[in-house]
Amino acid sequence: GIKVRQRNPKLILKEMKYWKSTLGVNFFIFRDPVFSINKKHTLELCDVLIKSNENFQFIIETHLNNLDIDLVKKLKAAGMIMVKVGVESAVSNIKKDANRFSIDEDVTLKKIREIESLGIHVTTMFILGYPKDTIDSCRETIKYAKHINSIITQFTVFTPYPGTPAFDGYKEKILAKNYEDFTMYNLIFKHSNLSIEDVENLKNEAYKE
């Protein structure tokens, strides 16, 4: 759904301290794709972590639109060492067609450079095989990823998962026989412009480059 459920920062700290005391875990990855969507809640969590003096380290995943330089500084003080951001495609109309919210490519690069200037690593995540993608548009995305040149770059394949709004338009096009095939690393539907082999070659080209 569209409702964001957020936990009390004190309960998050309590759980982190539990894993530290029982298993010696001091490093965490928050698998929340909109981690900083509520700035007030994010700042409260930062304050709780800073005051705990536990010196945790963590990685977050969020949208660049939900980050500003002051928030990044506060997150760094709380222990953040890396942020994972979805850039997705270098071609704006490709993202717009897929109903993916995005910010201008120049703003994307500027924000990434600002984050890196504070000593925070950035993982950029891209998607190949959007519905309107072509071999040329995918190569534009690969070229843009090289231009950003973040410390880690991830390429996955557009995947309309069952239960998501995107799936309804692809029910008759799905080629995959099993849910296990919905890996985000292979084309699972009949694409208008790309074959399974095209996408595999583009993915390999992306990682090779």
Side-chain angles (χ1 to χ4, degrees):
I2 60 172
K3 184 178 180 181
V4 178
R5 294 176 296 166
Q6 292 176 312
R7 298 178 63 203
N8 185 311
K10 291 180 180 178
L11 294 180
I12 298 173
L13 172 63
K14 182 179 179 181
E15 183 176 341
M16 294 169 78
K17 290 172 73 172
Y18 171 80
W19 293 118
K20 183 178 181 180
S21 63
T22 56
L23 295 177
V25 174
N26 198 53
F27 179 81
F28 296 86
I29 301 175
F30 288 98
R31 291 307 316 275
D32 174 357
V34 289
F35 180 89
S36 58
I37 193 169
N38 183 333
K39 187 174 180 179
K40 181 174 180 289
H41 180 269
T42 305
L43 289 171
E44 288 174 357
L45 176 60
C46 287
D47 287 336
V48 164
L49 292 175
I50 292 168
K51 290 175 183 176
S52 74
N53 292 316
E54 293 285 348
N55 297 315
F56 292 122
Q57 289 187 324
F58 59 89
I59 293 172
I60 71 166
E61 181 179 341
T62 193
H63 196 286
L64 282 170
N65 196 51
N66 297 327
L67 283 178
D68 58 59
I69 204 67
D70 289 333
L71 183 56
V72 174
K73 288 178 180 177
K74 193 67 177 280
L75 284 161
K76 181 181 179 181
M80 183 179 76
I81 64 168
M82 178 182 282
V83 57
K84 302 173 72 172
V85 296
V87 181
E88 301 188 353
S89 173
V91 186
S92 297
N93 67 326
I94 297 288
K95 290 183 284 188
K96 185 177 181 181
D97 174 77
N99 294 318
R100 302 297 292 179
F101 175 79
S102 65
I103 57 178
D104 183 79
E105 281 70 38
D106 290 338
V107 176
T108 293
L109 184 59
K110 182 173 182 277
K111 279 203 167 191
I112 289 172
R113 292 292 180 260
E114 286 179 339
I115 294 168
E116 290 173 332
S117 72
L118 295 174
I120 300 295
H121 292 309
V122 177
T123 292
T124 48
M125 300 179 290
F126 296 87
I127 295 176
L128 304 173
Y130 271 124
K132 295 295 184 183
D133 255 330
T134 62
I135 289 176
D136 288 341
S137 68
C138 287
R139 284 184 171 149
E140 277 297 308
T141 293
I142 295 168
K143 181 180 177 181
Y144 185 53
K146 290 174 65 178
H147 179 57
I148 293 176
N149 196 30
S150 57
I151 193 167
I152 297 175
T153 305
Q154 176 182 319
F155 294 92
T156 55
V157 178
F158 177 74
T159 304
Y161 276 101
T164 65
F167 183 75
D168 291 339
Y170 292 87
K171 286 180 181 177
E172 307 304 319
K173 299 180 181 180
I174 298 295
L175 301 172
K177 298 280 192 284
N178 304 302
Y179 284 141
E180 289 83 356
D181 296 324
F182 287 70
T183 64
M184 292 181 66
Y185 286 96
N186 55 297
L187 186 66
I188 53 89
F189 67 96
K190 185 172 176 55
H191 197 285
S192 300
N193 305 315
L194 301 168
S195 67
I196 291 175
E197 185 179 61
D198 287 336
V199 171
E200 188 66 19
N201 289 338
L202 285 163
K203 185 182 65 178
N204 291 339
E205 182 180 323
Y207 278 112
K208 180 181 177 182
E209 290 291 315

PDB file of all heavy atoms in Angstrom, residues 58 87 121 134 194:
ATOM      1  N   PHE A  58      25.908   2.083   9.883  1.00  0.00           N
ATOM      2  CA  PHE A  58      24.773   1.574   9.125  1.00  0.00           C
ATOM      3  C   PHE A  58      24.736   2.128   7.709  1.00  0.00           C
ATOM      4  O   PHE A  58      25.380   3.135   7.385  1.00  0.00           O
ATOM      5  CB  PHE A  58      23.451   1.870   9.851  1.00  0.00           C
ATOM      6  CG  PHE A  58      23.174   3.335  10.100  1.00  0.00           C
ATOM      7  CD1 PHE A  58      22.499   4.102   9.155  1.00  0.00           C
ATOM      8  CD2 PHE A  58      23.563   3.946  11.294  1.00  0.00           C
ATOM      9  CE1 PHE A  58      22.221   5.441   9.382  1.00  0.00           C
ATOM     10  CE2 PHE A  58      23.299   5.282  11.529  1.00  0.00           C
ATOM     11  CZ  PHE A  58      22.624   6.032  10.575  1.00  0.00           C
ATOM     12  N   VAL A  87      18.844   5.644  -9.040  1.00  0.00           N
ATOM     13  CA  VAL A  87      18.906   6.580 -10.165  1.00  0.00           C
ATOM     14  C   VAL A  87      18.045   6.035 -11.308  1.00  0.00           C
ATOM     15  O   VAL A  87      17.368   6.758 -12.013  1.00  0.00           O
ATOM     16  CB  VAL A  87      20.364   6.795 -10.627  1.00  0.00           C
ATOM     17  CG1 VAL A  87      20.421   7.791 -11.782  1.00  0.00           C
ATOM     18  CG2 VAL A  87      21.234   7.276  -9.466  1.00  0.00           C
ATOM     19  N   HIS A 121      29.965   6.978   1.354  1.00  0.00           N
ATOM     20  CA  HIS A 121      29.950   6.222   0.102  1.00  0.00           C
ATOM     21  C   HIS A 121      28.529   6.202  -0.470  1.00  0.00           C
ATOM     22  O   HIS A 121      27.542   6.211   0.276  1.00  0.00           O
ATOM     23  CB  HIS A 121      30.418   4.784   0.334  1.00  0.00           C
ATOM     24  CG  HIS A 121      31.868   4.684   0.698  1.00  0.00           C
ATOM     25  ND1 HIS A 121      32.863   5.286  -0.043  1.00  0.00           N
ATOM     26  CD2 HIS A 121      32.496   4.040   1.717  1.00  0.00           C
ATOM     27  CE1 HIS A 121      34.031   5.022   0.500  1.00  0.00           C
ATOM     28  NE2 HIS A 121      33.840   4.277   1.575  1.00  0.00           N
ATOM     29  N   THR A 134      15.068   0.775 -25.065  1.00  0.00           N
ATOM     30  CA  THR A 134      15.642   0.185 -26.268  1.00  0.00           C
ATOM     31  C   THR A 134      17.108  -0.123 -25.953  1.00  0.00           C
ATOM     32  O   THR A 134      17.607   0.245 -24.871  1.00  0.00           O
ATOM     33  CB  THR A 134      15.585   1.153 -27.455  1.00  0.00           C
ATOM     34  OG1 THR A 134      16.368   2.320 -27.130  1.00  0.00           O
ATOM     35  CG2 THR A 134      14.153   1.569 -27.755  1.00  0.00           C
ATOM     36  N   LEU A 194      12.952  -5.334 -26.648  1.00  0.00           N
ATOM     37  CA  LEU A 194      14.141  -6.090 -26.243  1.00  0.00           C
ATOM     38  C   LEU A 194      13.826  -7.573 -26.084  1.00  0.00           C
ATOM     39  O   LEU A 194      12.772  -7.929 -25.558  1.00  0.00           O
ATOM     40  CB  LEU A 194      14.694  -5.546 -24.915  1.00  0.00           C
ATOM     41  CG  LEU A 194      15.105  -4.065 -24.890  1.00  0.00           C
ATOM     42  CD1 LEU A 194      15.347  -3.628 -23.445  1.00  0.00           C
ATOM     43  CD2 LEU A 194      16.345  -3.836 -25.744  1.00  0.00           C
TER      44      LEU A 194
END
